[in-house]
């Protein structure tokens, strides 16, 4: 948040709205991508159910891990852009 505001205490005038819009744009896109992938992930998890609940959990865990990796990459990219 400090990088988005431009300062640890207070904010740099005009910087927060500009940077917040960029953060929102990036995360909105990620949320849409994750949501679009859910039907396939859920189908895979249901199909894995034949092998047992651990197999279902593995499918969902892998999806969660991919989402986290992509989110962290987005945060790192924003931090690099913000300096």
């Amino acid at each position: 948040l400090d990088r988005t505001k431009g300062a640890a205490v207070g904010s740099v005038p005009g910087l927060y709205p500009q940077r917040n819009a960029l953060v929102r744009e990036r995360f909105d896109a990620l949320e849409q991508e994750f949501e679009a992938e859910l039907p396939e992930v859920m189908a895979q998890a249901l199909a894995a159910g034949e092998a047992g609940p651990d197999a279902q959990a593995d499918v969902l865990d892998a999806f969660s891990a991919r989402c986290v990796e992509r989110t962290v990459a987005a945060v790192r990219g924003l931090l690099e852009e913000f300096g």
Side-chain angles (χ1 to χ4, degrees), residues 5-80:
K5 294 184 315 177
V9 177
S11 63
V12 175
L15 199 56
Y16 178 78
Q18 175 189 13
R19 287 184 172 179
N20 187 60
L22 184 57
V23 169
R24 198 62 267 153
E25 177 185 309
R26 300 276 170 85
F27 280 87
D28 286 347
L30 280 173
E31 289 171 10
Q32 290 172 3
E33 290 172 18
F34 299 155
E35 185 176 0
E37 293 171 27
L38 273 176
E40 177 62 26
V41 170
M42 293 306 294
Q44 290 174 5
L46 288 172
E50 296 173 9
D54 287 344
Q56 287 179 311
D58 289 345
V59 171
L60 298 175
D61 287 348
F63 174 67
S64 294
R66 289 191 307 272
C67 290
V68 169
E69 289 172 8
R70 289 159 56 192
T71 301
V72 169
V75 168
R76 287 185 175 143
L78 287 165
L79 289 172
E80 190 173 307

